[in-house]
Amino acid sequence: MDGALKSGGGVSQEIAFTLNGRPATLAADPLERLSDALRYGLGFTGTKVGCNAGDCGACTVLVDGEQMCACLMSCAQAAGHNITTVEGLADDAETQRLQQAFLDYGAAQCGICTPGMLMAATSLLKRVARPTKEEVQDALGGVLCRCTGYQKIVEAVCAAAGAGAAVTDLPPDTYVGARVVKTDGHAKVTGGELYGADKAPAEALWLRVIRAPHARASFTLGDLDAVVARTPGLERILTAADVPGNKCFGVYPHIKDQPVLADGVVRYRGEAVLALVGTRQAVWAVSDADLPIAWTAEEAITDFGRDDGPLVQQDKDSNLLARGFVNKGDAEAALAASPVKAEAESATPFIEHAYIEPEAGYAERKGDSLEIWVTTQSPYMDRDETALVMGLPKDKVRIVPSACGGGFGGKLDLSLHPLIALAAWILDRPVRCEYTRPESMASTTKRHASRVRARAGCDADGKLTAIVFDGDFDTGAYASWGPTVADRVPVHCSGPYKVPNVLARSAGRFTNAPPAGAFRGFGVPQSALAHEALMDDLAAQLGMDPLAFRAVNAIRAGDATATGQVLEHSAGLPQCLDELRPYWQAWRKAAQDFNESGRRRRRGVGIGCVWYGCGNTSMSNPSTQSVALDRAGKLTLYNGAVDIGQGSNTVMAQIAADALGLPVEAMTIVMGDTALTADAGKTSASRQTFISGKASELAGRDLRQQILRLANAGEDARLDLHDGKLLVRDGGVVHEIHLATLEEDSRGDVLCGTGTFDPPTGKLDANGQGSPYATYGFAAQIAEVEVDLDLGAVKVLRMAAAHDVGRAVNPTLVEGQIHGGIAQGLGLALMEEYLPGRTENLHDYLIPTVGDMPEIVSILVEDPEPLGPYGAKGVGEHSLIATAPAIFGGIEQATGVRPTVAPATPARLLAALRAHGVY
């Protein structure tokens, strides 16, 4: 797990080559990776590193015009060659068109893969002036993206070559609803965006974590000082004894169970045991075998279906972490009386987030305070937890988020934060750390493995009568977000349907596996596999069309949910189904015609529906935003909501600009800095557009009202900024506000509007009844698949997705979220399975490539949510949740066999086909 030496370490030599059209000389170990030399030796951090194994392609550069992974190329191999990085594209008109197309089409989400994509596309366009879509896909095949679903990237490259459709222009006089280019897009396409690994003080030491090789073991430590003494450049080895405050951390106030550094016991393979601090060469010169750690391995606990047995955490009474419960009506009695009944089971494995940016950052002590630059989804939670670990007041810890190269829930938990903080505090030196890809995959949280059993009934007309659900979830060695998953699943497990009787039970249990935490859907993707299988089974028994069955049962405004909450408005599932019906009918007919040919391949079209509560479950969920002007007329949005690629920086700016009445182009954004912004809550649970977006609207309106009062102007006045003056045009009168004459606040601003929004929610009672969310997003998706009956291989050919988003603040970004969620849902359905110690890299752990993705038709349904900003609500999780059920439904329609275990790999599906007599 300690990996290979990443920075050379041999004798330095002068290596001459051409870099971005100019002569360059590098003093480096000839065996050092070119990617490291470019980044650390020459400062060209536009070349990103996601794996150091040639799997992800983020480090792609051009070598004499041909794309090459810089992590697989030594410095010596660069000698005499022409190397081009993303920073070198700026002076070429053709590549500028490509960069602009990436902006116009929303092809850069988190942006960590964008330089690699641009380099691969540039190489293609230099060779082929008008490439086909297939040629573009082939050229991009070596670069992985976890955010976009690839479709917009392909569209952008085709457009740059003159083969793409124009992007819709802005609507007049409004930013909400417009396809505004991302506010941070230019930095992403030019290599200027700084991620966790891209920035640190020159004098920073490096930290490397030593991790447990066993899933369950005890250990003792020998003389660590001797290791320091014999290793030049090694400054300190940190242990659990060095932690001054809380020895353990966790996301809940009452659960702090995960050690910063293990103290004599480890509970999963990959748990942090020691931290080496020193020069980059020194920390990697120490092998695990050099360290005096005596291990006593024990048999790991892997069964998450029972509460008793050996304990994972010895201070607990059992391995049960949490239960969830919803009980509405009398489900068992209603089910027994139902004329039509169905049963379904499903099982899913641990699933890795696989964001392309591994965890990285640095910490620096400044007197009695700490500043931490880090990749994160939750800066305020990071601040609070790190302060507890360090035994410091919260205001003595400052988190400054870097650009985040993907998160999906995996960067909600602490990772390296307390370690670099501890090292920087003790040594009084800046300390940086970058996780390797295997380290990231071994040590960070996963999607919960699950086993689900569900039963449902309906009457003779197809109206649902009852659902009974039981789900077990493997939360791994520590709690992480396990209780939230246990709470959220019972609320959602009946699906987006009107069901008068629901009994739902869930349980999260500890095992000796990596902690399972938040991952795009918080357990709902696992439960959706079951409820959508039930819908298809009931429809088949009645001889009803599966889409028509769902339309009969779709929950509508005025209906009550499983928790008894009456939906007063914005419940657009029926409209989503209406939008999909023409695609459904045409695709099903095409699949039927294809199957009549007698081929050994079969096609089918399946459907999946989803609803998802926007925000935290049954608890206060506030966000505060502010918009300010300084004396020079600089307009700043202080946005505490971290943009992890979904585009919240842009969305908040659009909303605030419309509310204020000034151009979005004039707005500078400060993101997530805990010293400058207010707490906007974590970026998860599809909450930021709905909640922080509303706070941004209120902030913009607040500032506007202050300005109108200063000018004594009416509500319809128009605002302009010019040469440090704020002009207020009220009818035929122009009022001038000289900003330089106003008093400054602590941030240097003279006018500031603030907005806070906390959506109305309530705690659930003992039967799980109440209003856990203020609003829900809805969607329906269909998937056409092709199954090779001889190989068991499945290809998703095309998908159509209709989503009720309330209001699409930025349609391009909404479409991008739909595409990206579908890609991750496809991975869940067909290929992704995390096995500790076996699939801890991006070669053995498979995520969808551009060649795996189907054509996606996105349909935006706008059923406005009155509470949301201009009617908007969240969309982040929904498309992932509906994808796997739609694919599994397509497989069932094609073959008559529905997978019950995800992923439906060729071996699993072939075995199921044979077991059911399908050869």
Side-chain angles (χ1 to χ4, degrees):
M1 195 173 299
D2 56 354
L5 181 65
K6 300 198 299 179
S7 59
V11 178
S12 179
Q13 296 182 14
E14 294 287 326
I15 300 168
F17 54 96
T18 301
L19 179 61
N20 296 331
R22 296 177 177 85
T25 302
L26 176 69
D29 178 350
L31 297 180
E32 183 174 6
R33 299 178 193 273
L34 179 61
S35 53
D36 287 346
L38 290 171
R39 291 175 54 78
Y40 306 122
L42 297 173
F44 285 80
T45 57
T47 301
K48 307 304 181 186
V49 174
C51 68
N52 265 332
D55 293 326
C56 75
C59 67
T60 299
V61 297
L62 301 185
V63 181
D64 299 331
E66 298 294 326
Q67 65 185 90
M68 173 72 71
C69 285
C71 74
L72 298 182
M73 186 174 177
S74 71
C75 289
Q77 291 173 299
H81 292 281
N82 187 352
I83 310 297
T84 306
T85 70
V86 67
E87 292 93 341
L89 301 183
D91 298 328
D92 186 290
E94 184 174 351
T95 54
Q96 287 176 1
R97 286 198 302 274
L98 177 63
Q99 290 169 315
Q100 187 60 48
F102 266 58
L103 296 176
D104 293 340
Y105 282 81
Q109 286 193 23
C110 84
I112 195 72
C113 75
T114 300
M117 290 290 184
L118 287 167
M119 304 314 294
T122 297
S123 177
L124 170 67
L125 296 180
K126 294 295 185 184
R127 292 182 285 106
V128 183
R130 286 291 186 96
T132 64
K133 178 181 176 181
E134 291 71 24
E135 287 174 317
V136 172
Q137 290 174 322
D138 286 344
L140 301 180
V143 187
L144 294 177
C145 176
R146 192 58 160 167
C147 296
T148 66
Y150 301 99
Q151 183 162 311
K152 288 190 176 294
I153 298 174
V154 173
E155 290 172 352
V157 178
C158 290
V167 177
T168 304
D169 292 331
L170 301 182
D173 303 323
T174 180
Y175 291 104
V176 170
R179 294 181 182 272
V180 172
V181 167
K182 292 187 76 168
T183 56
D184 50 5
H186 184 266
K188 295 181 189 297
V189 301
T190 58
E193 189 77 290
L194 296 178
Y195 298 82
D198 292 341
K199 172 182 167 182
E203 70 275 18
L205 297 171
W206 286 75
L207 183 145
R208 173 184 158 221
V209 185
I210 302 300
R211 300 188 176 277
H214 306 289
R216 181 180 176 89
S218 59
F219 67 92
T220 58
L221 298 174
D223 187 357
L224 297 175
D225 292 338
V227 179
V228 174
R230 65 174 177 260
T231 308
L234 189 62
E235 298 287 336
R236 184 77 178 254
I237 299 179
L238 300 173
T239 72
D242 293 305
V243 180
N246 281 13
K247 303 292 185 181
C248 297
F249 60 87
V251 299
Y252 301 99
H254 64 295
I255 305 177
K256 307 295 182 188
D257 65 343
Q258 184 165 355
V260 177
L261 290 166
D263 190 4
V265 173
V266 294
R267 299 183 177 91
Y268 74 98
R269 183 186 180 279
E271 184 163 359
V273 177
L274 301 173
L276 312 183
V277 188
T279 66
R280 189 158 178 254
Q281 289 79 10
V283 298
W284 286 97
V286 180
S287 70
D288 286 5
D290 294 330
L291 294 165
I293 308 177
W295 293 101
T296 302
E298 302 174 15
E299 184 176 355
I301 298 165
T302 59
D303 184 359
F304 63 95
R306 50 188 292 184
D307 296 339
D308 58 353
L311 296 175
V312 174
Q313 296 189 24
Q314 294 301 316
D315 61 337
K316 302 291 192 296
D317 295 330
S318 76
N319 287 326
L320 177 68
L321 168 64
R323 291 191 185 276
F325 183 67
V326 165
N327 185 22
K328 174 188 175 186
D330 189 340
E332 289 288 7
L335 188 59
S338 299
V340 185
K341 304 178 184 65
E343 296 184 5
E345 292 187 357
S346 66
T348 62
F350 289 116
I351 297 177
E352 162 67 23
H353 298 83
Y355 30 74
I356 305 303
E357 179 207 24
E359 291 72 12
Y362 77 88
E364 186 172 12
R365 182 174 182 172
K366 295 191 172 181
D368 62 350
S369 300
L370 276 165
E371 291 190 7
I372 303 173
W373 161 273
V374 70
T375 180
T376 181
Q377 294 179 240
S378 50
Y380 276 84
M381 291 177 65
D382 293 349
R383 179 201 66 178
D384 295 353
E385 282 302 299
T386 302
L388 288 173
V389 167
M390 295 303 302
L392 294 172
K394 294 177 183 178
D395 62 359
K396 297 299 183 182
V397 177
R398 178 184 184 184
I399 302 292
V400 183
S402 68
C404 184
F408 320 113
K411 291 176 181 172
L412 288 174
D413 294 68
L414 290 187
S415 56
L416 50 79
H417 316 60
L419 297 173
I420 54 177
L422 178 63
W425 186 264
I426 290 175
L427 295 171
D428 199 13
R429 290 272 302 275
V431 176
R432 67 188 300 178
C433 178
E434 300 172 15
Y435 281 7
T436 65
R437 173 57 57 183
E439 179 180 21
S440 174
M441 295 180 75
S443 65
T444 59
T445 59
K446 307 289 171 269
R447 185 184 295 286
H448 288 70
S450 71
R451 288 195 293 267
V452 165
R453 302 158 301 284
R455 295 171 287 145
C458 67
D459 63 21
D461 296 324
K463 291 188 176 181
L464 292 167
T465 55
I467 285 181
V468 177
F469 173 95
D470 287 280
D472 293 320
F473 294 84
D474 188 342
T475 202
Y478 299 108
S480 184
W481 293 90
T484 297
V485 169
D487 287 343
R488 190 175 275 264
V489 166
V491 172
H492 290 85
C493 69
S494 54
Y497 308 112
K498 182 180 180 181
V499 189
N501 301 280
V502 178
L503 176 60
R505 295 165 292 222
S506 64
R509 296 184 177 88
F510 293 115
T511 65
N512 290 122
F519 189 167
R520 206 171 192 169
F522 284 97
V524 179
Q526 297 94 308
S527 64
L529 287 171
H531 69 60
E532 292 304 283
L534 292 171
M535 299 304 109
D536 283 345
D537 191 343
L538 293 171
Q541 291 185 55
L542 289 169
M544 286 184 68
D545 175 85
L547 186 148
F549 183 86
R550 287 166 170 84
V552 166
N553 291 289
I555 199 165
R556 291 166 165 80
D559 291 340
T561 70
T563 68
Q565 178 181 6
V566 175
L567 300 181
E568 298 180 0
H569 34 64
S570 192
L573 181 60
Q575 298 96 304
C576 292
L577 291 168
D578 288 344
E579 292 287 347
L580 284 184
R581 189 170 285 108
Y583 296 93
W584 173 258
Q585 293 171 345
W587 292 7
R588 296 271 280 196
K589 178 62 168 59
Q592 181 181 352
D593 293 344
F594 181 88
N595 293 340
E596 289 176 353
S597 67
R599 296 179 178 92
R600 294 295 296 160
R601 290 174 288 128
R602 303 273 298 176
R603 290 184 180 176
V605 183
I607 183 170
C609 293
V610 61
W611 69 323
Y612 195 76
C614 298
N616 298 341
T617 307
S618 303
M619 61 186 297
S620 179
N621 197 13
S623 174
T624 298
Q625 303 277 83
S626 59
V627 186
L629 279 164
D630 69 8
R631 285 180 171 176
K634 177 184 174 185
L635 180 65
T636 302
L637 171 63
Y638 294 98
N639 171 27
V642 174
D643 192 326
I644 62 173
Q646 83 281 31
S648 59
N649 279 338
T650 308
V651 166
M652 304 307 160
Q654 288 179 256
I655 292 169
D658 269 6
L660 173 59
L662 284 173
V664 72
E665 296 83 3
M667 198 169 289
T668 298
I669 297 173
V670 174
M671 181 192 78
D673 186 330
T674 59
L676 297 176
T677 69
D679 189 357
K682 61 188 186 299
T683 296
S684 69
S686 299
R687 63 178 296 280
Q688 290 296 13
T689 294
F690 173 52
I691 299 173
S692 293
K694 187 64 177 182
S696 297
E697 178 189 353
L698 296 173
R701 293 188 187 282
D702 183 26
L703 179 56
R704 179 176 177 83
Q705 289 304 311
Q706 293 179 42
I707 293 168
L708 296 181
R709 285 195 296 271
L710 279 174
N712 196 24
E715 291 293 330
D716 294 332
R718 197 181 77 200
L719 309 184
D720 290 300
L721 286 169
H722 182 70
D723 290 339
K725 292 181 293 185
L726 183 58
L727 306 181
V728 183
R729 305 179 190 277
D730 188 14
V733 179
V734 179
H735 304 276
E736 291 188 1
I737 299 175
H738 293 269
L739 298 170
T741 65
L742 302 180
E743 185 178 351
E744 291 183 325
D745 64 15
S746 61
R747 293 185 299 207
D749 298 312
V750 295
L751 290 172
C752 181
T754 300
T756 297
F757 179 59
D758 189 359
T761 61
K763 289 187 176 298
L764 300 181
D765 66 17
N767 280 315
Q769 300 298 289
S771 299
Y773 310 103
T775 192
Y776 299 79
F778 295 86
Q781 298 182 176
I782 61 175
E784 182 184 35
V785 306
E786 184 173 290
V787 183
D788 187 315
L789 298 181
D790 295 316
L791 300 176
V794 178
K795 175 70 175 176
V796 184
L797 302 177
R798 50 186 174 174
M799 292 194 69
H803 283 252
D804 166 24
V805 300
R807 176 75 184 278
V809 176
N810 188 316
T812 299
L813 301 184
V814 174
E815 292 161 357
Q817 285 294 286
I818 293 170
H819 296 169
I822 285 174
Q824 291 186 347
L826 186 151
L828 185 158
L830 299 178
M831 64 185 68
E832 295 190 41
E833 184 168 13
Y834 176 81
L835 301 170
R838 293 173 55 189
T839 57
E840 292 174 349
N841 56 66
L842 294 176
H843 178 77
D844 296 308
Y845 186 88
L846 302 179
I847 67 172
T849 70
V850 65
D852 295 309
M853 291 304 299
E855 173 192 351
I856 301 171
V857 178
S858 298
I859 304 163
L860 305 185
V861 172
E862 295 184 310
D863 186 356
E865 167 52 61
L867 289 172
Y870 299 96
K873 52 188 180 181
V875 70
E877 268 108 329
H878 305 72
S879 57
L880 184 153
I881 296 166
T883 297
I887 292 171
F888 281 12
I891 294 171
E892 183 176 29
Q893 199 229 349
T895 67
V897 177
R898 189 182 192 98
T900 59
V901 178
T905 59
R908 285 183 178 137
L909 184 55
L910 190 59
L913 294 175
R914 288 174 174 167
H916 286 79
V918 182
Y919 297 101

